[in-house]
């Protein structure tokens, strides 16, 4: 049975998940365990005048009540942003003070001001409600463009007019000149709606302090436990790094929202030390809506100029990005280096300029959410391309094809160097699968039954495996973005992979094992993948940005190279042949075409008994690797969406969705297809249903599933997914990454389809039935007027 690269191996980890045997943070119970409940601000912006804890402290089961002054008084540091961005005038970004428990000012509804520790979760919550906080309410600002107005309330003293930074990329004058001289210019104002991440498992933390050993352990829902340990120790001064263990057990989804270190982890660790108790906190879903880092929230203008032959001559973007009340860990790089650098799309554009202003508002902090900057860039470019095709009276497919990058490597004007691709192949595959040429017949059939049928496409590109470290360091990143791996071969020939990547739904326990199966011909059941525990695994950077394949697996491949070299040396010595004669396959170490054969387990056992090793060789069979890639990877593809809209209600049905992707080498097609399906579902959610909404006073109006609409099964179509792959040349496996593509390419394809159906291009996400119906009426009124 082939279980190597390219095989559709069933996920090993699913057995425990579907039988209810997964072990999540909230499942863990520690001795002497207490529960935390946080007192949160009901105001979007207010001064803290006084906190009265006495009533809560006297309630049943209460161990302690702590506030921000006690926390900071113990030297606990402020929460930081880990990526420095400079404004175009050279000044550093204006990072405001963010204490894990607010001391003087609260800046969004949900900002934590105190914590109660009690014997049960119910008693902790009841006591938290009894803490009396005297606030002086201040004016608030919610919208990003309004935050820049001179009359807007000041959120942080060091950020005048709430401006965090004013950043640019590209050549403005050359771009302006190119657009000024264009034969046709398309201009759009685009809002990219704010989203809540909604991982199926809410955030959770258990802090354990051992007074005898002066040692801390944190069990937490983290995508990158080593980085969490580093930041908690080096920046927040919660505990020395060598006395802090961070464990991320099974994690139920992240989508970026579990990359960061939140106030709750900091406070629970500190409170555990203060009380000498284990402390558990698990978010209620309402807390998740209030406090999990949100995504997107851009207001942009895009101009794109074409010459008389419909070739793009220039593209210019101006964006205001809302970062919320505080700067989260990666918030600064999302609307800059993960966004503007992808504005070239799949197209050969000589002149690009983008200006980004980031602002504070009295809302939940915003950070990376599945795609992180790439969806925002793709949405702008692909909405503009579809609009241009309509204005120019040409085929959307052929306008894209005319402007595709045709040769590689290709240097864009905005940093990125595309190493390889075949954009036309993905376009052709999608067109064929969607029967694009037969659409007008289907449109006419739909019209007979009173439905408006539309078709839209999106040709996306993204940058994954964020690296190399030296490059991102020069752009302001506070850490390197390499990955580590250790391969331990046991004496009986079983293999343990210790990886710095973290799995929270991606299927690493299967795909990482497939690398070993492919290399040595071992069954997948003989391979164990270990991750998520800083006491077991060497330092690693974690999982985000679709990097686990391109970067994490490459580290494993390099470690396997070293294991293979040593195993061949041992096998050659045992068989008394040349090392170059040895091959390892099907679980055997042998000389092909001869009877000189050893079982894999025999070689491994000899490595540890050390009875018959080459002279000077150390015993054992264990190797490690730190892999730092030479370039980003660039997954790309074309998505085509077909919809039917009911003109009486504005309801949209997705009748067809086709995806053709280039992910380079595909390790497990089944898992990749699952990632694409999930990404498209989230993209459809953004385009049709999801939006975080605040009122003018900063109160969250979409704080539950009664108000925040998530896609359901009947909102989603069956997908046609295919691949036209070009292996990536910058990593040893040729992998590009697949985890975010669906969420990047799907929103513009869907909105392009709806606007095609209704004949009105003025439609923002989410395209709710009410919005679509209004756009239909507006289009009819305009046509009647004409």
């Amino acid at each position: 049975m082939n279980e190597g690269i390219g095989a559709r191996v069933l996920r090993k980890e699913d057995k425990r998940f579907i039988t209810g045997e997964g072990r999540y943070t909230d499942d863990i119970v520690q001795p002497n365990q207490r529960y935390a409940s946080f007192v949160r601000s009901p105001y979007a912006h207010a001064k803290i005048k006084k906190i009265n804890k006495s009533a809560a402290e006297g309630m049943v089961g209460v161990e302690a009540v702590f506030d921000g002054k006690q926390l900071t008084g113990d030297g606990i540091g402020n929460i930081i942003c880990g990526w420095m961005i400079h404004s175009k005038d050279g000044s550093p970004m204006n990072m405001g003070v963010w204490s894990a428990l607010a001391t003087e000012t609260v800046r969004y509804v949900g900002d934590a001001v105190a914590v109660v520790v009690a014997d049960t979760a119910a008693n902790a919550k009841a006591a938290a409600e009894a803490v009396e906080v005297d606030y002086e309410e201040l004016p608030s600002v919610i919208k990003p463009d309004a935050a820049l107005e001179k009359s807007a309330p000041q959120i942080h003293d060091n950020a005048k007019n709430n401006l965090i930074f004013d950043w640019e990329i590209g050549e403005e004058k050359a771009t302006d000149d190119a657009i000024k001289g264009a034969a046709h210019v398309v201009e759009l104002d685009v809002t990219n709606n704010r989203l809540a991440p909604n991982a199926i498992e809410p955030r959770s933390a258990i802090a354990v302090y051992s007074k005898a050993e002066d040692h801390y352990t944190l069990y937490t829902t983290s995508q990158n436990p080593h980085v969490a340990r580093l930041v908690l120790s080096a920046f927040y001064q919660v505990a020395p790094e060598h006395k802090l263990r961070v464990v991320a057990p099974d994690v139920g989804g992240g989508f970026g929202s579990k990359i960061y270190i939140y106030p709750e982890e900091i406070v629970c660790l500190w409170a555990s030390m203060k009380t000498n108790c284990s402390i558990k906190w698990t978010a209620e879903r309402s807390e998740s809506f209030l406090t999990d880092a949100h995504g997107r929230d851009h207001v942009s203008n895009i101009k794109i100029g074409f010459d008389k032959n419909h070739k793009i001559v220039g593209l210019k973007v101006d964006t205001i990005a809302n970062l919320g009340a505080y700067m989260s860990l990666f918030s600064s790089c999302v609307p800059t280096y993960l966004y503007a650098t992808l504005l070239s799309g799949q197209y050969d554009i000589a002149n690009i300029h983008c200006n980004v202003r980031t602002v504070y508002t009295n809302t939940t902090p915003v950070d990376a959410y599945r795609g992180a900057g790439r969806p925002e860039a793709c949405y702008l470019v692909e909405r503009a391309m579809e609009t241009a095709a309509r204005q120019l009276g040409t085929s959307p497919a052929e306008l894209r094809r005319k402007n595709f990058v045709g040769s590689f490597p290709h240097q864009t004007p905005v940093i990125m160097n595309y190493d390889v691709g075949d954009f036309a192949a993905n376009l052709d595959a999608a067109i064929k699968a969607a029967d694009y040429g037969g659409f007008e017949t289907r449109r006419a059939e739909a019209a007979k039954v009173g439905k408006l049928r539309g078709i839209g496409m999106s040709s996306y590109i993204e940058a994954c495996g964020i690296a190399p470290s030296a490059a991102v360091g020069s752009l302001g990143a506070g850490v390197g973005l390499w990955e580590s791996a250790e391969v331990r071969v046991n004496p009986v020939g079983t293999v343990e992979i210790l990886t710095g990547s973290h799995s929270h739904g991606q299927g690493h326990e299967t795909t990482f094992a497939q690398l070993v199966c492919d290399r040595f011909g071992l069954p997948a059941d003989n391979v164990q993948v270990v991750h998520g525990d800083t006491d077991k695994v060497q330092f690693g950077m974690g999982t985000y940005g679709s990097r686990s394949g391109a970067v994490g697996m490459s580290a494993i491949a390099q470690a396997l190279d070293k294991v293979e070299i040593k195993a061949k040396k041992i096998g050659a010595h045992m068989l008394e042949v040349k090392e170059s004669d040895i091959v390892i396959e099907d679980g055997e170490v042998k000389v092909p075409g001869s009877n000189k054969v050893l079982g894999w387990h025999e070689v491994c056992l000899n490595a540890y008994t050390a009875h018959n090793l080459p002279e000077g060789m150390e015993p054992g069979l264990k190797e490690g690797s730190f892999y730092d890639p030479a370039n980003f990877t660039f997954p790309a593809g074309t998505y085509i969406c077909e919809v039917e809209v009911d003109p009486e209600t504005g309801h949209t049905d997705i009748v067809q969705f086709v995806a053709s992707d280039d992910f380079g080498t595909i390790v497990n097609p089944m898992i990749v297809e699952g990632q694409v399906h999930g990404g498209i579902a989230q993209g459809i959610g953004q385009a049709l249903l999801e939006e975080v909404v605040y009122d003018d006073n900063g109160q969250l109006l979409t704080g539950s599933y009664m108000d925040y609409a998530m896609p359901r099964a009947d909102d989603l179509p069956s997908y046609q997914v295919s691949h036209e792959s070009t292996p990536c040349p910058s990593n040893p496996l040729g992998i590009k990454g697949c985890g975010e593509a669906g969420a990047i390419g799907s929103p513009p394809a869907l909105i392009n389809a709806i606007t095609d159906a209704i004949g009105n291009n003025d439609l923002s996400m989410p395209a709710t039935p009410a919005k679509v119906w209004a756009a239909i009426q507006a289009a009819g009124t305009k046509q009647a007027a004409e």
Side-chain angles (χ1 to χ4, degrees), residues 365-424:
V366 174
D367 210 316
Y369 170 71
R370 198 171 191 170
R374 282 72 55 87
E376 296 92 315
C378 177
Y379 189 76
L380 275 178
V381 173
E382 290 307 295
R383 286 287 289 121
M385 288 298 287
E386 199 87 0
T387 302
R390 294 169 188 171
Q391 292 182 4
L392 293 168
T394 188
S395 160
E398 295 313 307
L399 182 64
R400 287 174 168 86
R401 189 190 307 276
K402 182 186 288 284
N403 285 282
F404 278 159
V405 171
S407 61
F408 297 89
H410 173 79
Q411 179 63 55
T412 75
V414 281
I415 294 180
M416 295 301 181
N417 188 290
Y418 300 164
D419 49 11
V420 69
D422 189 343
F423 303 151

Coordinates of all heavy atoms in Angstrom, one line a residue, residues 365-424:
P365 N -9.1 44.5 18.8 CA -8.0 44.5 18.0 C -8.1 43.6 16.8 O -8.8 42.6 16.8 CB -6.9 44.0 18.9 CG -7.3 44.5 20.3 CD -8.8 44.3 20.3
V366 N -7.5 44.0 15.7 CA -7.6 43.3 14.4 C -6.2 42.7 14.1 O -5.2 43.4 14.3 CB -8.0 44.2 13.3 CG1 -8.0 43.5 11.9 CG2 -9.4 44.7 13.5
D367 N -6.1 41.5 13.6 CA -4.9 40.9 13.2 C -5.1 39.9 12.1 O -6.2 39.9 11.5 CB -4.2 40.2 14.5 CG -2.7 40.2 14.4 OD1 -2.2 39.9 13.4 OD2 -2.1 40.5 15.5
A368 N -4.2 39.0 11.9 CA -4.3 38.0 10.8 C -5.4 37.1 11.0 O -5.7 36.5 12.0 CB -3.0 37.2 10.7
Y369 N -6.2 36.9 9.9 CA -7.3 36.0 9.8 C -7.2 35.3 8.4 O -6.9 35.9 7.5 CB -8.6 36.7 10.0 CG -9.8 35.8 9.7 CD1 -10.2 34.7 10.5 CD2 -10.6 36.0 8.5 CE1 -11.3 33.9 10.2 CE2 -11.7 35.2 8.2 CZ -12.0 34.1 9.1 OH -13.1 33.3 8.8
R370 N -7.4 34.0 8.4 CA -7.1 33.2 7.2 C -6.9 33.9 5.9 O -7.8 34.5 5.3 CB -8.3 32.2 7.0 CG -7.9 31.0 6.2 CD -9.0 29.9 6.2 NE -8.5 28.7 5.5 CZ -9.1 27.5 5.6 NH1 -10.3 27.4 6.2 NH2 -8.6 26.4 5.0
G371 N -5.7 34.0 5.5 CA -5.3 34.7 4.3 C -4.5 36.0 4.7 O -3.5 36.3 4.0
A372 N -4.9 36.7 5.7 CA -4.1 37.8 6.3 C -3.5 38.7 5.3 O -2.3 38.7 5.0 CB -3.0 37.2 7.2
G373 N -4.3 39.6 4.7 CA -3.8 40.6 3.8 C -3.9 40.2 2.3 O -4.2 41.0 1.5
R374 N -3.7 38.9 2.1 CA -3.8 38.4 0.7 C -5.3 38.4 0.2 O -5.5 38.8 -0.9 CB -3.3 36.9 0.6 CG -1.7 36.8 0.6 CD -1.0 37.1 1.9 NE -1.4 36.4 3.0 CZ -1.0 35.2 3.4 NH1 -0.1 34.6 2.6 NH2 -1.4 34.6 4.5
P375 N -6.3 38.0 1.1 CA -7.7 38.2 0.6 C -8.0 39.6 0.3 O -8.8 39.9 -0.7 CB -8.5 37.6 1.7 CG -7.6 36.8 2.5 CD -6.2 37.4 2.4
E376 N -7.6 40.6 1.1 CA -7.9 42.0 0.9 C -7.3 42.4 -0.5 O -8.0 43.2 -1.2 CB -7.4 42.8 2.0 CG -8.0 42.5 3.4 CD -7.3 41.5 4.2 OE1 -6.9 40.4 3.6 OE2 -7.1 41.7 5.4
A377 N -6.1 42.0 -0.8 CA -5.4 42.4 -2.0 C -6.1 41.8 -3.2 O -6.4 42.5 -4.2 CB -3.9 42.0 -2.0
C378 N -6.4 40.5 -3.1 CA -7.0 39.8 -4.2 C -8.4 40.4 -4.5 O -8.8 40.5 -5.6 CB -7.2 38.3 -3.8 SG -8.0 37.3 -5.1
Y379 N -9.2 40.7 -3.4 CA -10.5 41.2 -3.6 C -10.5 42.5 -4.4 O -11.3 42.7 -5.3 CB -11.2 41.4 -2.3 CG -12.7 41.7 -2.4 CD1 -13.6 40.8 -2.7 CD2 -13.1 43.0 -2.2 CE1 -14.9 41.1 -2.9 CE2 -14.5 43.4 -2.3 CZ -15.4 42.4 -2.7 OH -16.7 42.7 -2.8
L380 N -9.6 43.4 -4.0 CA -9.4 44.7 -4.8 C -9.1 44.4 -6.2 O -9.8 45.0 -7.1 CB -8.3 45.5 -4.1 CG -8.6 46.4 -2.9 CD1 -7.3 47.1 -2.5 CD2 -9.7 47.4 -3.3
V381 N -8.1 43.7 -6.5 CA -7.6 43.5 -7.8 C -8.6 42.8 -8.7 O -8.9 43.2 -9.9 CB -6.2 42.7 -7.8 CG1 -5.8 42.4 -9.3 CG2 -5.2 43.6 -7.2
E382 N -9.2 41.7 -8.2 CA -10.1 40.9 -9.0 C -11.5 41.6 -9.2 O -12.2 41.3 -10.2 CB -10.3 39.5 -8.4 CG -9.0 38.7 -8.5 CD -8.5 38.6 -10.0 OE1 -9.2 38.1 -10.8 OE2 -7.4 39.2 -10.3
R383 N -11.9 42.4 -8.2 CA -13.1 43.2 -8.5 C -12.9 44.2 -9.6 O -13.7 44.4 -10.4 CB -13.6 43.8 -7.2 CG -14.2 42.9 -6.2 CD -15.6 42.4 -6.6 NE -16.6 43.5 -6.5 CZ -17.3 44.0 -7.5 NH1 -17.2 43.5 -8.7 NH2 -18.2 45.0 -7.3
A384 N -11.7 44.8 -9.5 CA -11.3 45.8 -10.5 C -11.2 45.2 -11.9 O -11.6 45.8 -12.9 CB -10.0 46.5 -10.1
M385 N -10.6 44.0 -12.0 CA -10.4 43.3 -13.3 C -11.8 43.0 -13.9 O -12.0 43.1 -15.1 CB -9.6 42.1 -13.1 CG -8.1 42.4 -12.9 SD -7.3 43.3 -14.2 CE -7.2 42.0 -15.5
E386 N -12.7 42.5 -13.1 CA -14.0 42.1 -13.6 C -14.8 43.3 -14.1 O -15.4 43.4 -15.1 CB -14.8 41.3 -12.5 CG -16.0 40.5 -13.1 CD -15.6 39.1 -13.5 OE1 -14.4 38.8 -13.4 OE2 -16.5 38.4 -13.9
T387 N -14.7 44.4 -13.3 CA -15.3 45.7 -13.6 C -14.7 46.2 -14.9 O -15.5 46.7 -15.8 CB -15.1 46.7 -12.5 OG1 -15.7 46.2 -11.3 CG2 -15.8 48.0 -12.8
A388 N -13.4 46.1 -15.0 CA -12.8 46.6 -16.3 C -13.3 45.9 -17.5 O -13.5 46.5 -18.6 CB -11.2 46.5 -16.1
A389 N -13.4 44.5 -17.4 CA -13.9 43.7 -18.5 C -15.2 44.2 -19.0 O -15.5 44.3 -20.2 CB -13.9 42.3 -18.1
R390 N -16.1 44.5 -18.0 CA -17.5 44.9 -18.3 C -17.4 46.3 -19.0 O -18.1 46.6 -20.0 CB -18.3 45.0 -17.1 CG -18.6 43.6 -16.5 CD -19.2 43.7 -15.1 NE -19.2 42.3 -14.5 CZ -19.5 42.1 -13.2 NH1 -19.8 43.1 -12.4 NH2 -19.5 40.9 -12.7
Q391 N -16.6 47.2 -18.5 CA -16.5 48.5 -19.0 C -15.9 48.5 -20.4 O -16.3 49.3 -21.3 CB -15.8 49.5 -18.1 CG -16.5 49.7 -16.8 CD -15.7 50.7 -15.9 OE1 -14.7 51.2 -16.3 NE2 -16.3 51.0 -14.7
L392 N -14.9 47.7 -20.6 CA -14.2 47.6 -21.9 C -15.0 46.7 -22.9 O -14.6 46.7 -24.1 CB -12.8 47.0 -21.7 CG -11.8 47.9 -20.9 CD1 -10.6 47.1 -20.5 CD2 -11.5 49.1 -21.7
G393 N -16.0 46.0 -22.5 CA -16.8 45.2 -23.4 C -16.0 44.0 -23.8 O -16.2 43.5 -25.0
T394 N -15.1 43.4 -23.0 CA -14.4 42.2 -23.4 C -14.6 41.1 -22.4 O -15.2 41.3 -21.3 CB -12.9 42.6 -23.4 OG1 -12.1 41.5 -24.0 CG2 -12.3 42.9 -22.0
S395 N -14.1 39.9 -22.7 CA -14.3 38.8 -21.9 C -13.5 38.9 -20.6 O -12.3 39.2 -20.7 CB -13.9 37.5 -22.6 OG -13.6 36.4 -21.7
P396 N -14.0 38.7 -19.4 CA -13.2 38.7 -18.2 C -12.1 37.7 -18.2 O -11.0 38.0 -17.7 CB -14.2 38.4 -17.1 CG -15.6 38.8 -17.6 CD -15.5 38.5 -19.1
A397 N -12.3 36.6 -18.8 CA -11.3 35.6 -18.9 C -10.1 36.0 -19.8 O -8.9 35.9 -19.5 CB -11.8 34.2 -19.5
E398 N -10.5 36.6 -21.0 CA -9.4 37.0 -21.9 C -8.7 38.3 -21.5 O -7.5 38.4 -21.8 CB -10.1 37.2 -23.3 CG -10.6 35.9 -23.9 CD -9.6 34.8 -23.8 OE1 -8.4 34.9 -24.2 OE2 -10.0 33.7 -23.2
L399 N -9.4 39.2 -20.7 CA -8.7 40.3 -20.2 C -7.6 39.9 -19.2 O -6.5 40.4 -19.2 CB -9.7 41.3 -19.5 CG -9.1 42.5 -18.9 CD1 -8.5 43.4 -20.0 CD2 -10.1 43.3 -18.1
R400 N -8.0 38.9 -18.4 CA -7.0 38.3 -17.5 C -5.8 37.7 -18.2 O -4.7 37.9 -17.9 CB -7.7 37.3 -16.5 CG -8.5 38.0 -15.5 CD -9.3 37.0 -14.6 NE -10.0 37.6 -13.5 CZ -11.1 38.2 -13.5 NH1 -11.8 38.2 -14.6 NH2 -11.6 38.7 -12.4
R401 N -6.2 36.8 -19.2 CA -5.2 36.1 -19.9 C -4.2 37.1 -20.6 O -3.0 36.9 -20.6 CB -5.8 35.2 -21.0 CG -4.8 34.2 -21.7 CD -5.5 33.5 -22.8 NE -6.8 32.9 -22.5 CZ -6.9 31.7 -22.0 NH1 -5.8 31.0 -21.7 NH2 -8.0 31.2 -21.7
K402 N -4.7 38.1 -21.2 CA -3.9 39.1 -21.9 C -2.8 39.7 -20.9 O -1.8 40.1 -21.4 CB -4.8 40.2 -22.5 CG -4.0 41.3 -23.3 CD -5.0 42.4 -23.7 CE -5.9 42.0 -24.8 NZ -5.2 41.9 -26.1
N403 N -3.2 39.8 -19.6 CA -2.3 40.5 -18.7 C -1.5 39.6 -17.8 O -0.8 40.1 -16.9 CB -3.2 41.5 -17.9 CG -3.5 42.7 -18.6 OD1 -2.7 43.6 -18.8 ND2 -4.8 42.8 -19.1
F404 N -1.7 38.3 -17.9 CA -1.0 37.3 -17.1 C 0.5 37.5 -17.2 O 1.0 37.8 -18.3 CB -1.3 35.9 -17.4 CG -2.6 35.4 -16.8 CD1 -3.3 34.3 -17.4 CD2 -3.2 36.0 -15.7 CE1 -4.4 33.8 -16.8 CE2 -4.4 35.5 -15.1 CZ -5.0 34.4 -15.7
V405 N 1.2 37.3 -16.1 CA 2.7 37.1 -16.2 C 2.9 35.8 -17.1 O 2.3 34.8 -16.8 CB 3.3 36.9 -14.8 CG1 4.8 36.5 -14.9 CG2 3.1 38.2 -14.0
G406 N 3.8 35.9 -18.0 CA 4.0 34.8 -19.0 C 5.3 34.1 -18.8 O 5.5 33.0 -19.3
S407 N 6.3 34.7 -18.1 CA 7.6 34.1 -18.0 C 8.1 34.2 -16.6 O 7.8 35.2 -15.9 CB 8.6 34.7 -19.0 OG 8.8 36.0 -18.7
F408 N 8.9 33.3 -16.1 CA 9.3 33.2 -14.7 C 10.8 33.0 -14.7 O 11.4 32.3 -15.6 CB 8.6 32.1 -14.0 CG 7.1 32.4 -13.9 CD1 6.3 31.9 -14.9 CD2 6.6 33.1 -12.8 CE1 4.9 32.1 -14.8 CE2 5.2 33.3 -12.7 CZ 4.4 32.8 -13.7
P409 N 11.5 33.5 -13.6 CA 11.0 34.3 -12.5 C 10.5 35.7 -13.0 O 11.0 36.2 -14.0 CB 12.2 34.3 -11.6 CG 13.4 34.2 -12.4 CD 13.0 33.2 -13.5
H410 N 9.6 36.2 -12.2 CA 9.1 37.5 -12.5 C 9.2 38.4 -11.3 O 8.6 38.1 -10.3 CB 7.6 37.4 -13.0 CG 6.9 38.7 -13.2 ND1 7.1 39.5 -14.3 CD2 6.1 39.4 -12.4 CE1 6.4 40.6 -14.2 NE2 5.7 40.6 -13.0
Q411 N 9.8 39.6 -11.5 CA 10.0 40.6 -10.4 C 8.8 41.6 -10.5 O 8.7 42.3 -11.5 CB 11.3 41.3 -10.5 CG 11.5 42.3 -9.4 CD 11.5 41.7 -8.0 OE1 12.3 40.8 -7.8 NE2 10.7 42.2 -7.1
T412 N 8.0 41.7 -9.5 CA 7.0 42.7 -9.4 C 7.5 44.0 -8.9 O 8.6 44.0 -8.3 CB 5.8 42.2 -8.5 OG1 6.2 42.4 -7.2 CG2 5.4 40.8 -8.8
P413 N 6.8 45.1 -9.1 CA 7.3 46.4 -8.6 C 7.1 46.5 -7.1 O 7.5 47.5 -6.5 CB 6.4 47.4 -9.3 CG 5.7 46.7 -10.3 CD 5.6 45.3 -9.9
V414 N 6.5 45.5 -6.4 CA 6.2 45.6 -5.0 C 6.8 44.4 -4.3 O 6.1 43.6 -3.7 CB 4.7 45.7 -4.7 CG1 4.2 47.1 -5.0 CG2 3.9 44.7 -5.6
I415 N 8.1 44.3 -4.4 CA 9.0 43.3 -3.7 C 9.0 41.9 -4.2 O 10.0 41.3 -4.4 CB 8.7 43.3 -2.2 CG1 9.0 44.7 -1.5 CG2 9.4 42.2 -1.5 CD1 8.7 44.8 0.0
M416 N 7.8 41.3 -4.4 CA 7.7 39.9 -4.7 C 8.4 39.5 -6.0 O 8.2 40.2 -7.0 CB 6.3 39.4 -4.7 CG 5.6 39.5 -3.3 SD 6.5 38.6 -2.0 CE 5.4 38.9 -0.6
N417 N 9.1 38.3 -5.9 CA 9.6 37.7 -7.1 C 9.0 36.4 -7.3 O 9.3 35.4 -6.6 CB 11.2 37.6 -6.9 CG 11.8 37.1 -8.2 OD1 11.7 36.0 -8.6 ND2 12.6 38.0 -8.8
Y418 N 8.1 36.3 -8.3 CA 7.3 35.1 -8.5 C 8.3 34.1 -9.2 O 8.9 34.4 -10.2 CB 6.2 35.3 -9.5 CG 5.1 36.3 -9.0 CD1 4.2 36.8 -9.9 CD2 5.0 36.6 -7.6 CE1 3.2 37.7 -9.4 CE2 4.0 37.5 -7.2 CZ 3.1 38.0 -8.1 OH 2.1 38.9 -7.7
D419 N 8.5 32.9 -8.5 CA 9.5 32.0 -9.0 C 9.0 31.1 -10.1 O 9.8 30.8 -11.1 CB 10.0 31.2 -7.9 CG 9.0 30.5 -7.0 OD1 7.8 30.6 -7.4 OD2 9.3 30.0 -5.9
V420 N 7.7 30.6 -10.1 CA 7.3 29.7 -11.1 C 5.7 29.7 -11.1 O 5.1 30.1 -10.1 CB 7.8 28.3 -10.8 CG1 7.1 27.7 -9.6 CG2 7.6 27.3 -12.0
G421 N 5.1 29.4 -12.2 CA 3.7 29.3 -12.3 C 3.2 29.1 -13.7 O 4.0 29.2 -14.7
D422 N 2.0 28.7 -13.9 CA 1.4 28.6 -15.2 C -0.1 29.1 -15.0 O -1.0 28.3 -14.9 CB 1.4 27.2 -15.7 CG 1.0 27.1 -17.2 OD1 0.3 28.0 -17.7 OD2 1.3 26.0 -17.8
F423 N -0.3 30.4 -15.0 CA -1.6 31.0 -14.7 C -2.6 30.6 -15.7 O -3.8 30.4 -15.4 CB -1.4 32.5 -14.5 CG -0.5 32.9 -13.5 CD1 0.2 34.1 -13.6 CD2 -0.2 32.1 -12.4 CE1 1.1 34.5 -12.6 CE2 0.7 32.5 -11.4 CZ 1.4 33.7 -11.5
A424 N -2.2 30.5 -17.0 CA -3.1 30.2 -18.1 C -3.7 28.8 -17.9 O -4.8 28.5 -18.3 CB -2.5 30.4 -19.4

